[in-house]
Amino acid sequence: RKEVEQDPGPFNVPEGATVAFNCTYSNSASQSFFWYRQDCRKEPKLLMSVYSSGNEDGRFTAQLNRASQYISLLIRDSKLSDSATYLCVPDNYGQNFVFGPGTRLSVLP
Amino acid sequence: GAVVSQHPSWVICKSGTSVKIECRSLDFQATTMFWYRQFPKQSLMLMATSNEGSKATYEQGVEKDKFLINHASLTLSTLTVTSAHPEDSSFYICSARDRLAGVIYEQYFGPGTRLTVT
């Protein structure tokens, strides 16, 4: 099983839609989880950190299910500017990050 | 806060030459920095973990003699691509962890360096 698995997409959604991405991870000992977004030809930018069961920040909600080893990201009221690749990253005891392929989102006008 | 800079942002060099890329944490100290490489339409691949004052830890398959890493201070790590070849052309990104972050393992990324070897 890969360390991090994400549906690569692309997810094409209209403006205003709600979209959710799932991410599964293999390291059951991971304690912290991060969602980064990466725009084309740019560096990843931290979107959200998750240390407990979930986190919410405005239109973005992350939910963690430790028993099933997956974490989701929900985006409500999608904006054109949300178009990016979303990367799910579980921590590895504060050591290196292992990035999955990410999920590509395109929000259409 | 938590700003990481990289220099240069892009570089074009001839095959066989060496290129040095700098990664700086501007407003925090980083005992650990990471170097990644990303090819088009692929995910970030960790190349090495750079620890201040000690040797870098390289991932499997990454040649340590080709990709020289120096982390001489708490705010600066450098990656030197020696004897660069066209297949080394890629997007190189560094990241850093705040030394004082404790159990918060967030990494802050630099803007990346786009290397083209002709």
Side-chain angles (χ1 to χ4, degrees):
Chain A
R1 183 180 176 183
K2 292 183 180 178
E3 290 193 57
V4 180
E5 293 194 68
Q6 290 182 256
D7 182 342
F11 284 63
N12 298 316
V13 303
E15 262 187 296
T18 295
V19 62
F21 311 134
N22 280 337
C23 165
T24 57
Y25 60 95
S26 61
N27 184 357
S28 60
S30 293
Q31 294 296 309
S32 310
F33 302 84
F34 307 97
W35 281 102
Y36 284 83
R37 68 168 281 169
Q38 186 177 25
D39 293 287
C40 188
R41 302 171 75 87
K42 298 282 189 181
E43 78 277 19
K45 290 191 184 295
L46 182 65
L47 180 66
M48 188 172 289
S49 306
V50 183
Y51 301 104
S52 57
S53 60
N55 195 3
E56 184 171 333
D57 184 4
R59 299 182 293 110
F60 300 86
T61 301
Q63 297 243 318
L64 172 62
N65 185 319
R66 291 187 189 273
S68 300
Q69 291 182 219
Y70 80 79
I71 183 165
S72 64
L73 177 68
L74 181 78
I75 305 176
R76 289 180 295 276
D77 189 22
S78 300
K79 311 288 184 193
L80 295 176
S81 58
D82 293 333
S83 298
T85 296
Y86 289 82
L87 304 165
C88 160
V89 189
D91 92 271
N92 180 23
Y93 300 107
Q95 304 301 314
N96 54 292
F97 275 179
V98 176
F99 284 91
T103 297
R104 195 151 56 91
L105 171 68
S106 290
V107 181
L108 308 172
Chain B
V3 177
V4 177
S5 71
Q6 264 184 259
H7 178 79
S9 54
W10 60 270
V11 58
I12 301 173
C13 71
K14 291 187 177 179
S15 189
T17 61
S18 295
V19 173
K20 180 188 281 189
I21 303 170
E22 292 186 350
C23 176
R24 294 181 186 272
S25 56
L26 298 185
D27 50 2
F28 65 99
Q29 293 182 328
T31 48
T32 304
M33 291 183 171
F34 304 90
W35 287 97
Y36 296 85
R37 180 167 55 180
Q38 187 174 34
F39 293 106
K41 297 187 188 289
Q42 295 187 22
S43 59
L44 282 83
M45 295 299 295
L46 180 68
M47 298 175 67
T49 301
S50 169
N51 299 298
E52 186 265 338
S54 65
K55 290 183 179 180
T57 304
Y58 290 82
E59 295 300 300
Q60 195 172 10
V62 178
E63 300 174 57
K64 62 180 181 181
D65 294 329
K66 179 172 179 63
F67 299 98
L68 302 179
I69 291 173
N70 185 287
H71 193 153
S73 78
L74 287 171
T75 58
L76 173 64
S77 175
T78 61
L79 168 69
T80 301
V81 183
T82 62
S83 187
H85 290 284
E87 57 265 31
D88 297 323
S89 299
S90 187
F91 190 42
Y92 291 84
I93 311 175
C94 73
S95 71
R97 286 191 58 230
D98 188 337
R99 180 175 72 92
L100 300 179
V103 295
I104 299 175
Y105 299 131
E106 293 158 354
Q107 290 184 24
Y108 302 98
F109 286 83
T113 296
R114 197 159 298 281
L115 170 64
T116 301
V117 185
T118 60

